[in-house]
Every structure is written in C-alpha cells, then in structure tokens.
C-alpha cells in the first residue's frame, strides 16, 4: 500500500483548501488503486 505525505507551508492554505487537497489526493489514489482503497485513505 502506498503512503502519501503532504507537507504545506504554514499559514498559506485555508482549512477549506487543505480539505480540498486531501479530497483530491484521495480521489487520485482511488483512481489508481481502486474503490477498495477508499476506506483506507
């Protein structure tokens, strides 16, 4: 199982932008690894 770590510069992104980023990366992982990964991301 791959691990993805996202480091962002402090005080650059809003909480909403961080949430959007997490959602986008999750969807990218699902696109590659398949729907079975959703509960693990």
């Amino acid at each position: 199982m791959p691990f993805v770590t996202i480091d962002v510069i402090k005080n650059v992104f809003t909480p909403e932008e961080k949430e959007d980023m997490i959602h986008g990366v999750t969807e990218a992982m699902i696109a590659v690894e398949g729907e079975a990964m959703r509960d693990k991301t």
Side-chain angles (χ1 to χ4, degrees):
M1 172 188 329
F3 287 94
V4 177
T5 302
I6 301 171
D7 294 317
V8 296
I9 300 169
K10 188 175 182 178
N11 299 322
V12 172
F13 298 100
T14 66
E16 293 80 16
E17 290 172 324
K18 291 178 187 178
E19 186 175 333
D20 288 345
M21 193 180 308
I22 292 167
H23 177 77
V25 171
T26 298
E27 292 304 315
M29 292 301 298
I30 299 304
V32 172
E33 296 292 327
E35 193 63 36
M37 288 291 293
R38 186 170 299 279
D39 65 339
K40 296 165 184 61
T41 58

